Amino acid sequence: RRQEQQESQLALSSQRLRHEAQISELEREFAAKLSHREQEMEEHKQTEVSQLKSQCAAKEAEMAATAAVDRNARLQFEESIHQRTEKAIAEMQLTTESEMKKLQ
């Protein structure tokens, strides 16, 4: 009877050790999978950050180009106004001088 109890306890101890070993193995596998998943997520995040930075740089370049075109257009418009004003002033001076000569 005593021997049966010892064998039963030994069997239970052996089974418990096997279960603990299985649990440890599952914990190691889970930790490895978790670590791998975290690494994948970090890589994905870095990829997204890089893409967003590229998109921002492209948009900034586009905006800078648009601003340069706008500046050039404004400068051309201002130059055109200046030239027309100078031409009108010159024409008025000629007309005035011509009228003055007629009056003399």
Side-chain angles (χ1 to χ4, degrees), residues 6 11 17-18 22-23 27-29 31 33 35-36 40 53 62-63 65 68 70 75 77-78 86 100-101 103:
Q6 287 178 341
L17 289 175
R18 280 195 307 277
Q22 289 173 336
I23 290 170
E27 287 174 340
R28 279 192 295 277
E29 287 177 15
K33 287 180 182 178
S35 176
H36 181 69
E40 285 178 341
K53 284 181 179 179
E62 179 184 328
M63 290 170 63
D70 290 347
L75 290 173
F77 177 71
E78 289 173 356
E86 291 293 321
M100 294 288 275
K101 286 182 182 176
L103 290 174

Side-chain angles (χ1 to χ4, degrees), residues 13-77:
S13 290
S14 177
Q15 186 177 21
R16 190 182 84 235
L17 289 175
R18 280 195 307 277
H19 286 165
E20 287 176 358
Q22 289 173 336
I23 290 170
S24 292
E25 180 60 27
L26 289 173
E27 287 174 340
R28 279 192 295 277
E29 287 177 15
F30 177 76
K33 287 180 182 178
L34 181 62
S35 176
H36 181 69
R37 182 68 180 132
E38 287 173 344
Q39 184 179 355
E40 285 178 341
M41 290 175 66
E42 181 63 27
E43 289 170 359
H44 180 68
K45 181 179 83 171
Q46 292 299 329
T47 300
E48 284 190 10
V49 167
S50 294
Q51 289 174 346
L52 288 173
K53 284 181 179 179
S54 294
Q55 290 171 359
C56 285
K59 192 64 174 174
E60 287 173 354
E62 179 184 328
M63 290 170 63
T66 300
V69 168
D70 290 347
R71 269 193 308 278
N72 287 340
R74 188 186 77 241
L75 290 173
Q76 289 174 353
F77 177 71

